[in-house]
Amino acid sequence: MVTKVEFDHAEASAAEFLAFGEGLRHAAAPVWNEAHGGFWVASRFQDITTIVADPARFLSGKGITIPPLGQPVPVVPAESDAPGHKHYRGVLAPFLTPRAVRENEPTVRQLVTEMIDVFIEAGEVDVVPNFAIPIPVYAMARIFGLTRPEAKQFFDAFTSVLEAAASGVPAKAQKAGGEFAGYIISALDEMRAKPPDMTNIYSAIVHTEMNGEPFSVNECIGMLWSTTAAAT
């Protein structure tokens, strides 16, 4: 017998979400949640490992969020399936190894020092908006190979996306997402005009080919979107 519930995780408070999760600990099988048109909720270790090990049946290419967040393009490689998934991961993986991350430490340390210098003389700071939030986005922008002014544009554009997503208004999220995608397209066009530099994420994405063809604009946007979101 299928256990049915109706729980809107998108509107729930943190306490409600945790209570719902606690109730699933002893579920005998995946639960059918009737919110958002209906979907299965797998909570048991055995079910989850079975799903993860069977990407041919359990696809990601049609979206992985419920409800859809309204991004203008699929966020790859998360929202992709074979054979493309392997190629997308192959482009991004070299930038995410422990060694690659360690090599970026001086860049991140310099950025942290610069941001502290801005408010240190004042003797006070609102840490979250003026330090904790900007650091990951600025750091990724530097690692992407952007200049400081370009990093500021990048930060402003992506911050608008995060704020719009948090608003819960789909139209607002779509508008902000479209504007951020436009910014990325412009940056990608500039990178295509330069010689390949495989130490730069932007350059690696635009100059890598899959089956003899360069990635499409949407694929490029999706990979950069995914990388940025993961960092924040």
Side-chain angles (χ1 to χ4, degrees):
M1 181 176 177
V2 175
T3 300
K4 295 182 179 181
V5 298
E6 186 164 358
F7 178 76
D8 188 351
H9 56 283
E11 298 293 334
S13 66
E16 291 170 336
F17 193 90
L18 290 172
F20 176 70
E22 184 65 27
L24 293 177
R25 282 182 178 273
H26 305 292
V31 171
W32 178 254
N33 191 342
E34 296 187 329
H36 300 289
F39 60 94
W40 291 101
V41 180
S43 59
R44 299 185 305 173
F45 176 80
Q46 178 182 350
D47 296 328
I48 293 170
T49 54
T50 298
I51 291 169
V52 171
D54 191 359
R57 282 199 300 163
F58 298 96
L59 305 178
S60 300
K62 294 183 179 180
I64 59 173
T65 59
I66 301 173
L69 296 180
Q71 295 102 330
V73 299
V75 180
V76 295
E79 294 184 328
S80 66
D81 301 305
H85 184 270
K86 180 180 179 180
H87 291 283
Y88 303 138
R89 284 181 57 88
V91 176
L92 300 177
F95 298 94
L96 304 175
T97 64
R99 178 179 179 179
V101 172
R102 283 195 298 270
E103 289 176 349
N104 286 312
E105 182 177 345
T107 298
V108 177
R109 283 184 175 275
Q110 180 185 359
L111 175 61
V112 170
T113 299
E114 290 174 1
M115 298 200 73
I116 291 175
D117 287 344
V118 172
F119 57 75
I120 193 169
E121 292 187 7
E124 61 181 17
V125 63
D126 191 341
V127 173
V128 173
N130 295 300
F131 187 74
I133 292 177
I135 284 292
V137 183
Y138 273 121
M140 286 306 303
R142 293 284 186 90
I143 293 169
F144 286 167
L146 303 181
T147 64
R148 184 57 186 265
E150 290 171 337
K152 178 65 167 63
Q153 288 182 295
F154 183 90
F155 172 73
D156 290 344
F158 194 70
T159 298
S160 295
V161 172
L162 297 179
E163 291 175 347
S167 73
V169 180
K172 187 175 181 180
Q174 290 175 355
K175 181 176 183 295
E179 292 173 350
F180 183 63
Y183 168 80
I184 291 180
I185 289 172
S186 177
L188 291 171
D189 287 342
E190 292 180 9
M191 194 60 66
R192 284 192 183 93
K194 299 177 181 179
D197 175 8
M198 304 311 279
T199 65
N200 177 298
I201 293 181
Y202 268 83
S203 185
I205 289 174
V206 300
H207 291 293
T208 296
E209 295 184 348
M210 181 169 65
N211 299 325
E213 297 289 338
F215 291 121
S216 69
V217 171
N218 283 355
E219 288 173 319
C220 291
I221 294 173
M223 280 188 277
L224 288 171
W225 194 301
S226 177
T227 306
T228 306
T232 55

